[in-house]
Amino acid sequence: MPFTYSIEATRNLATTERCIQDIRNAPVRNRSTQFQLAQQNMLAYTFGEVIPGFASAGINGMNYRDVIGRPVENAVTEGTHFFRDDFRVDSNAKAKVAGDIFEIVSSAVMWNCAARWNSLMVGEGWRSQPRYSRPTLSPSPRRQVAVLNLPRSFDWVSLLVPESQEVIEEFRAGLRKDGLGLPTSTPDLAVVVLPEEFQNDEMWREEIAGLTRPNQILLSGAYQRLQGRVQPGEISLAVAFKRSLRSDRLYQPLYEANVMQLLLEGKLGAPKVEFEVHTLAPEGTNAFVTYEAASLYGLAEGRSAVHRAIRELYVPPTAADLARRFFAFLNERMELVNG
Amino acid sequence: MPFTYSIEATRNLATTERCIQDIRNAPVRNRSTQFQLAQQNMLAYTFGEVIPGFASAGINGMNYRDVIGRPVENAVTEGTHFFRDDFRVDSNAKAKVAGDIFEIVSSAVMWNCAARWNSLMVGEGWRSQPRYSRPTLSPSPRRQVAVLNLPRSFDWVSLLVPESQEVIEEFRAGLRKDGLGLPTSTPDLAVVVLPEEFQNDEMWREEIAGLTRPNQILLSGAYQRLQGRVQPGEISLAVAFKRSLRSDRLYQPLYEANVMQLLLEGKLGAPKVEFEVHTLAPEGTNAFVTYEAASLYGLAEGRSAVHRAIRELYVPPTAADLARRFFAFLNERMELVNG
DNA sequence: CGGTCCACCGGTGGACGT
DNA sequence: ACGTCCACCGGTGGACCG
């Protein structure tokens, strides 16, 4: 499965494995979709043997926006090849798939970073290909992490150990008496401290070679292994991925960060909740200003150590930059965990 | 200008007044748009002599979703008439225009409600056509209101009197020292107490007959008259309009309501900030749950009188329902203003 | 008049439940 | 198989600025 479109590779695909599915004779009720962008097949096609940042220097250092755009590009090439002038997909289809791909590929990059990091933490040394500078934090198996790409409809509270969930539940019970609530949703990705019971599992130290369907399932299902096993202070990082920004599309992360900070810092005594937003097209500077907003919870309490709700709006230039930055983050943040 | 498409009316339009503008020979840079939905012309065409809720019984009681959909429907009819098979607009064009139309038409309905309300408040009695039940609050010129459809890029803080803006500025200055901020944006619409200097102006008591271009300008520019003249406690209602909902598109109002509550209630001593969301297609019940969220500011302070950030998610069945509900709101809320 | 910015939302691929 | 739900974002018309 090639990163660069290959007519030979495409020809060898079973129709169910193709990036474009012709559904003109099996339409979805109430939709006019003629061709589907089979997003999981697209990932397997373009990234089946490639994880950016852990591939060739050419890909690791390639403009990340172009890397992320490649699956749709390849799919359109395939669709045009098979269906010529009949082929058409709505811009909203590309938008949806491009967004999911940015999230899934970035999660995979961070998954491999975590694998490499964990391998160092258990005393296996620092892998050298491709080369990243070795973190300086003193290794400890207790400082391993898990990268969790969280699914649609998720509630990040379900990651927490039962005792912590109960604290939140009691708090909510009080609110419910007044017809109020404080629903939680989710960031796209969470980095958590690897619970003790998994610290000898090799799977958390294995870099994946590509986003084959089995590896997609491994990464997208990883969260299930950790539900109910994370301490409030062990949610080390939350990330929202937005391929491009619009001024009205900035607020789900901003709001969720505020809620996480109220519950984790305010009710559960956790240290600062690190929540960041990644994008490839910020479209102006307004978003950077919006994300300077102070965390409302800290403000209202009149605390001295008020901080931003969103720690940073990050625009990864290349996959290698994303990886380097994540290693640096781990090197700093994991010092909080007793080695 | 007919609510129902009329080939005769269309024929009499100058090309600059048409709902569809052919820009194939004058394309916008970096866009592939062939035909523009001229939204202001569309409003003038379909609502030039009609304000729903203040029109015929047929329109006032018509499904509001259909009312709001009419301008795009008429425009597509026009485009098909003039350009046959060449005519095409992207779904995102319809989406943008439909959203703005929902906002502008709903603002016009509420503008006329305010006019009728104000006329009662200055002692002119209760207009009877079309019939709405007479509010019971005792009339006072000081209880007049202004309905402000706020523009893109607006900052609601600019409505406040200078002294209040200064309080907020000082608060922000303190935050800036730590590299923090608390930027404000805006609801789509604000209902404010009419400042004393305007309480004899007739314009605030005049119902408009339709959304002709001059009337569009009157309504969209009204906010300029009140900037710097509103007391913190006089922002009576904030509204966000969202024609349809998606789970990720709920949060700008939710966040902005929280910020307004922190600043107006917390820093400026205003009573409860009423912020609501209107939609025509909630798509499930999830949004109702999301909007049960307690206001974070009140929560953190541990106050007794905690309330929701968003008071209600409202789905107007008809324009008459929207009008009735707004009259009822004014009847209740304006009691806070000394008569 | 051209370029930039703003905030609009509907069409989507996949997960899940019946 | 089918229906419902979820959260993805890019193409827009107009305001504003130089």
Side-chain angles (χ1 to χ4, degrees):
Chain A
M1 298 305 106
F3 178 74
T4 300
Y5 184 79
S6 152
I7 181 67
E8 286 293 339
T10 295
R11 201 174 279 142
N12 289 332
L13 293 174
T15 55
T16 56
E17 292 173 321
R18 289 201 189 141
C19 297
I20 302 297
Q21 298 290 313
D22 180 359
I23 60 165
R24 284 174 295 180
N25 294 327
V28 177
R29 266 275 218 286
N30 300 321
R31 297 192 186 188
S32 62
T33 315
Q34 297 186 4
F35 300 95
Q36 287 195 307
L37 292 170
Q39 133 186 339
Q40 295 166 341
N41 291 352
M42 289 164 64
L43 284 166
Y45 185 92
T46 299
F47 294 111
E49 300 168 2
V50 164
I51 299 298
F54 294 82
S56 67
I59 290 175
N60 301 345
M62 184 174 162
N63 180 310
Y64 195 46
R65 205 175 332 109
D66 296 337
V67 173
I68 294 301
R70 187 61 70 91
V72 170
E73 207 179 295
N74 286 343
V76 168
T77 304
E78 184 200 292
T80 306
H81 169 71
F82 285 115
F83 306 106
R84 311 300 313 175
D85 286 354
D86 283 344
F87 180 64
R88 45 156 286 260
V89 293
D90 194 281
S91 74
N92 283 338
K94 292 184 192 172
K96 188 272 186 187
V97 168
D100 281 0
I101 285 176
F102 179 47
E103 173 179 343
I104 294 166
V105 173
S106 295
S107 298
V109 174
M110 293 174 74
W111 175 280
N112 272 6
C113 289
R116 186 164 294 197
W117 169 270
N118 291 343
S119 146
L120 177 66
M121 287 300 116
V122 298
E124 294 177 349
W126 185 243
R127 296 173 190 155
S128 61
Q129 283 305 320
R131 176 160 187 75
Y132 290 102
S133 58
R134 182 190 175 114
T136 54
L137 184 65
S138 67
S140 159
R142 286 190 293 280
R143 287 175 167 166
Q144 292 181 83
V145 297
V147 164
L148 309 177
N149 182 6
L150 303 171
R152 279 166 156 77
S153 200
F154 192 67
D155 178 352
W156 62 264
V157 170
S158 74
L159 292 172
L160 297 176
V161 293
E163 310 86 88
S164 299
Q165 292 197 36
E166 270 165 41
V167 172
I168 292 174
E169 186 40 47
E170 277 168 38
F171 175 61
R172 284 175 170 157
L175 289 175
R176 257 197 306 276
K177 273 182 272 176
D178 303 320
L180 300 169
L182 194 67
T184 34
S185 59
T186 188
D188 294 325
L189 178 143
V191 179
V192 303
V193 176
L194 189 65
E196 195 170 0
E197 56 265 49
F198 300 129
Q199 288 172 6
N200 291 321
D201 286 6
E202 279 180 26
M203 69 161 274
W204 304 101
R205 314 199 282 272
E206 286 169 7
E207 298 175 21
I208 61 169
L211 284 168
T212 59
R213 186 71 190 116
N215 280 343
Q216 292 174 32
I217 291 168
L218 176 70
L219 269 57
S220 66
Y223 76 93
Q224 292 167 340
R225 304 168 191 260
L226 274 79
Q227 282 182 296
R229 299 172 183 272
V230 179
Q231 297 290 337
E234 293 178 341
I235 300 183
S236 304
L237 179 66
V239 185
F241 297 102
K242 296 191 169 292
R243 209 209 66 85
S244 71
L245 301 183
R246 293 289 183 275
S247 61
D248 59 311
R249 291 200 277 100
L250 304 173
Y251 291 89
Q252 188 275 339
L254 184 50
Y255 180 79
E256 197 60 33
N258 272 288
V259 173
M260 288 183 78
Q261 283 150 7
L262 190 156
L263 291 175
L264 289 171
E265 299 176 18
K267 301 295 166 192
L268 291 165
K272 183 184 166 196
V273 173
E274 307 283 357
F275 199 130
E276 64 188 33
V277 178
H278 292 202
T279 190
L280 297 175
E283 314 288 5
T285 56
N286 174 272
F288 293 92
V289 176
T290 298
Y291 286 143
E292 284 171 5
S295 184
L296 298 181
Y297 164 71
L299 270 194
E301 291 255 304
R303 299 169 145 211
S304 50
V306 184
H307 58 74
R308 293 185 182 185
I310 298 294
R311 63 192 295 270
E312 190 182 345
L313 173 58
Y314 177 59
V315 185
T318 70
D321 286 301
L322 170 59
R324 267 191 291 272
R325 179 172 174 281
F326 185 39
F327 285 131
F329 174 85
L330 290 174
N331 197 45
E332 191 166 322
R333 170 80 188 201
M334 296 313 287
E335 195 172 359
L336 288 183
V337 178
N338 288 328
Chain B
M1 298 302 105
F3 178 72
T4 301
Y5 183 79
S6 152
I7 181 68
E8 286 293 340
T10 295
R11 201 174 280 143
N12 289 332
L13 292 174
T15 54
T16 57
E17 291 172 322
R18 289 200 190 143
C19 298
I20 301 296
Q21 297 291 313
D22 179 358
I23 59 165
R24 286 175 293 179
N25 294 327
V28 177
R29 267 275 216 287
N30 301 320
R31 296 192 186 188
S32 62
T33 315
Q34 297 185 4
F35 299 95
Q36 285 195 307
L37 293 170
Q39 137 185 335
Q40 294 166 341
N41 291 351
M42 290 165 65
L43 284 166
Y45 185 92
T46 298
F47 294 111
E49 299 167 3
V50 165
I51 299 297
F54 294 82
S56 67
I59 290 176
N60 301 345
M62 181 174 165
N63 180 311
Y64 194 47
R65 206 175 331 108
D66 296 337
V67 173
I68 294 300
R70 186 60 71 90
V72 169
E73 207 179 294
N74 286 344
V76 169
T77 305
E78 184 200 293
T80 306
H81 169 70
F82 285 114
F83 305 106
R84 313 299 313 174
D85 285 356
D86 284 344
F87 181 64
R88 45 159 284 261
V89 292
D90 194 281
S91 72
N92 282 337
K94 291 185 194 172
K96 188 273 186 187
V97 168
D100 282 359
I101 285 175
F102 179 46
E103 173 179 342
I104 293 167
V105 173
S106 296
S107 298
V109 174
M110 293 174 74
W111 175 280
N112 272 4
C113 290
R116 185 164 293 198
W117 169 269
N118 291 343
S119 145
L120 177 66
M121 287 301 116
V122 298
E124 295 176 347
W126 185 242
R127 296 176 190 154
S128 61
Q129 282 305 322
R131 177 161 185 75
Y132 291 102
S133 58
R134 181 188 176 115
T136 53
L137 183 65
S138 67
S140 158
R142 286 189 291 280
R143 286 173 169 168
Q144 293 180 82
V145 296
V147 165
L148 308 177
N149 182 6
L150 303 171
R152 281 168 155 75
S153 198
F154 193 67
D155 178 352
W156 62 264
V157 170
S158 74
L159 291 172
L160 296 177
V161 293
E163 310 85 88
S164 299
Q165 292 198 36
E166 269 165 42
V167 173
I168 293 174
E169 185 41 46
E170 276 168 38
F171 175 60
R172 284 174 171 159
L175 289 175
R176 257 197 305 275
K177 273 183 271 174
D178 302 321
L180 300 169
L182 195 65
T184 33
S185 59
T186 187
D188 294 324
L189 178 144
V191 180
V192 302
V193 176
L194 189 65
E196 195 170 2
E197 56 266 49
F198 299 128
Q199 287 172 7
N200 290 322
D201 286 5
E202 278 181 27
M203 70 162 274
W204 304 101
R205 313 199 283 271
E206 286 168 8
E207 297 176 21
I208 61 170
L211 283 167
T212 57
R213 186 70 190 117
N215 280 342
Q216 292 174 34
I217 291 169
L218 176 70
L219 268 58
S220 66
Y223 76 92
Q224 292 166 340
R225 305 168 191 260
L226 275 79
Q227 283 183 295
R229 299 172 183 272
V230 180
Q231 296 290 338
E234 293 178 342
I235 300 183
S236 304
L237 179 66
V239 185
F241 297 102
K242 294 190 171 293
R243 208 209 66 85
S244 71
L245 301 183
R246 293 289 183 276
S247 61
D248 60 312
R249 291 201 277 100
L250 304 174
Y251 291 89
Q252 188 275 339
L254 184 51
Y255 180 78
E256 198 60 33
N258 272 289
V259 173
M260 287 183 79
Q261 283 149 9
L262 189 155
L263 291 175
L264 289 171
E265 300 176 19
K267 301 295 167 194
L268 292 165
K272 183 183 167 199
V273 172
E274 307 283 356
F275 198 130
E276 64 189 33
V277 178
H278 292 205
T279 190
L280 298 174
E283 315 288 7
T285 55
N286 173 269
F288 293 93
V289 176
T290 298
Y291 286 143
E292 284 171 5
S295 184
L296 299 181
Y297 163 71
L299 271 192
E301 292 256 304
R303 301 168 146 209
S304 50
V306 184
H307 57 75
R308 292 185 183 186
I310 298 294
R311 63 192 295 272
E312 190 181 346
L313 173 58
Y314 177 59
V315 184
T318 70
D321 286 300
L322 170 59
R324 267 191 292 273
R325 179 171 174 281
F326 185 40
F327 285 131
F329 173 84
L330 290 174
N331 197 44
E332 192 165 322
R333 170 78 188 202
M334 296 313 288
E335 195 171 358
L336 288 183
V337 178
N338 287 328

